[in-house]
Amino acid sequence: MEITLNSGYKMPIVGLGVWRMEKEGIRDLIINSIKIGYRHLDCAADYKNEAEVGDALTEAFNTGLIKREDLFVTTKLWNSDHGHVIEACKDSLKKLQLDYLDLYLVHFPVATKHTGVGTTDSALGDDGVLDIDTTISLETTWHDMEKLVSMGLVRSIGISNYDVFLTRDCLAYSKIKPAVNQIETHPYFQRDSLVKFCQKHGICVTAHTPLGGATANAEWFGTVSCLDDPALKEVAEKYKKTVAQVVLRWGIQRNTVVIPKTSKPERLEENFKVFDFELTKEDMEVIKSMDRKYRTNQPAKFWGIDLYA
């Protein structure tokens, strides 16, 4: 199942996110995911595991497990490289051992102090607050992103963690419209206005943290996951599915791409088994009523500033 982007390319609606994946386990997870049927990998320079992903992809291609053209690979420009977009993209391509990216995203709508291409540091000032570079505009960054398309390094470009205002601005100054806006969205943080705005203007929404972060975000941010919600457990029981499968299916039926992350082989398979059932309108409404406007991924913990304030 795929969504056709405004660039004309097709993006698989379920992908595997590799954030916080241990380097030593990446090879097996990626090889197994391809065998299960995954055709979409969501990476980022800041995840600091592009080289390991690249090794796994090279093995998959060389052994005939899959062809490059049958795999959709996304990675992202880190905040500290906004003034070095082309170099950063080439660095990611080198680590991933690829000739082109299917999708390249601006990871966050903020430029920070440059610390060296591909180092993806988040430098803090003496006050313990993220050292934001106020000399580089998002418009400048975007026009450099557009150059990557004309250079043949990237097929589609997009944004991530942009709100309605910033997305509207990007639409206004872009020559090549953003194909995707990747945002946190799940039953407890539905962001219906932003999702509908993007879709109205031809921008595909990808849901990162589509399961509400689960254990990973509970550990880092002390947040609560929607996977423990009694009402969701009731819906899951009705379909004889897991809560995670119901939540992912809900995301798909909103016409959003979902990229769950897991390091467990059994979850890898479970998260992909979401195409053999469909939630009723009534159950979609039940889930819609659960919205708490509850963000679970909050980098302010590390940056000393709430960029969403």
Side-chain angles (χ1 to χ4, degrees):
M1 195 171 176
E2 299 170 318
I3 285 182
T4 301
L5 303 177
N6 61 23
S7 58
Y9 292 100
K10 294 182 185 299
M11 183 180 192
I13 204 162
V14 175
L16 176 65
V18 301
W19 181 49
R20 293 185 67 187
M21 274 195 186
E22 298 297 331
K23 292 182 178 181
E24 56 271 16
I26 281 180
R27 181 259 173 205
D28 287 348
L29 277 164
I30 288 179
I31 296 297
N32 287 337
S33 72
I34 293 170
K35 288 179 179 177
I36 288 167
Y38 286 84
R39 295 294 180 265
H40 174 185
L41 294 176
D42 184 81
C43 314
D46 186 54
Y47 302 163
K48 301 184 189 300
N49 55 19
E50 285 178 317
E52 289 73 22
V53 171
D55 287 341
L57 292 179
T58 298
E59 179 183 336
F61 300 146
N62 289 345
T63 58
L65 180 61
I66 195 170
K67 295 177 181 177
R68 169 66 186 99
E69 58 267 27
D70 294 328
L71 200 61
F72 191 102
V73 181
T74 300
T75 197
K76 307 178 191 78
L77 173 77
W78 187 240
N79 309 333
S80 56
D81 282 333
H82 275 227
H84 304 267
V85 174
I86 294 170
E87 301 99 306
C89 180
K90 286 182 176 179
D91 183 68
S92 285
L93 283 168
K94 183 178 179 181
K95 289 172 180 171
L96 290 166
Q97 301 176 51
L98 298 175
D99 296 324
Y100 68 91
L101 295 169
D102 294 280
L103 179 65
Y104 196 46
L105 303 177
V106 179
H107 203 148
F108 280 94
V110 63
T112 61
K113 181 181 178 180
H114 183 59
T115 53
V117 170
T119 58
T120 69
D121 288 336
S122 295
L124 304 181
D126 294 336
D127 56 358
V129 174
L130 188 67
D131 195 344
I132 294 174
D133 188 335
T134 58
T135 67
I136 304 171
S137 71
L138 291 176
E139 180 174 357
T140 298
T141 298
W142 187 254
H143 290 321
D144 283 341
M145 294 283 286
E146 291 172 326
K147 291 174 186 175
L148 297 172
V149 178
S150 59
M151 292 171 70
L153 299 178
V154 175
R155 287 184 165 181
S156 303
I157 50 177
I159 53 183
S160 182
N161 300 302
Y162 277 50
D163 61 15
V164 171
F165 296 119
L166 293 173
T167 303
R168 189 220 70 89
D169 270 7
C170 190
L171 286 168
Y173 56 64
S174 59
K175 295 185 182 73
I176 300 174
K177 305 298 181 190
V180 168
N181 187 8
Q182 185 178 128
I183 60 170
E184 177 182 348
T185 179
H186 46 78
Y188 279 1
F189 195 41
Q190 298 187 20
R191 312 178 81 181
D192 212 38
S193 293
L194 177 55
V195 171
K196 286 180 177 176
F197 178 84
C198 289
Q199 292 175 340
K200 179 180 179 179
H201 293 280
I203 301 171
C204 171
V205 172
T206 295
H208 75 67
T209 327
L211 300 175
T215 305
N217 281 9
E219 290 173 355
W220 271 25
F221 307 113
T223 50
V224 176
S225 170
C226 63
L227 297 185
D228 297 319
D229 192 291
L232 277 173
K233 288 181 178 179
E234 195 173 311
V235 173
E237 180 64 30
K238 176 179 172 181
Y239 293 90
K240 293 185 169 42
K241 293 289 181 179
T242 65
V243 176
Q245 287 171 324
V246 165
V247 170
L248 293 173
R249 182 69 207 185
W250 169 81
I252 290 169
Q253 287 182 217
R254 294 175 90 203
N255 291 316
T256 62
V257 172
V258 292
I259 48 170
K261 171 259 174 190
T262 185
S263 55
K264 298 177 180 176
E266 64 274 16
R267 291 277 188 271
L268 198 64
E269 195 158 354
E270 175 189 314
N271 290 344
F272 199 72
K273 290 182 176 178
V274 289
F275 300 110
D276 60 350
F277 73 107
E278 187 171 332
L279 299 173
T280 63
K281 287 183 181 179
E282 291 77 15
D283 288 329
M284 289 293 288
E285 287 299 316
V286 167
I287 298 174
K288 187 175 182 179
S289 71
M290 296 178 185
D291 194 8
R292 299 184 181 184
K293 296 180 170 53
Y294 183 70
R295 184 187 299 278
T296 68
N297 189 318
Q298 180 47 279
K301 175 180 178 180
F302 311 107
W303 294 347
I305 184 173
D306 181 4
L307 294 183
Y308 300 115

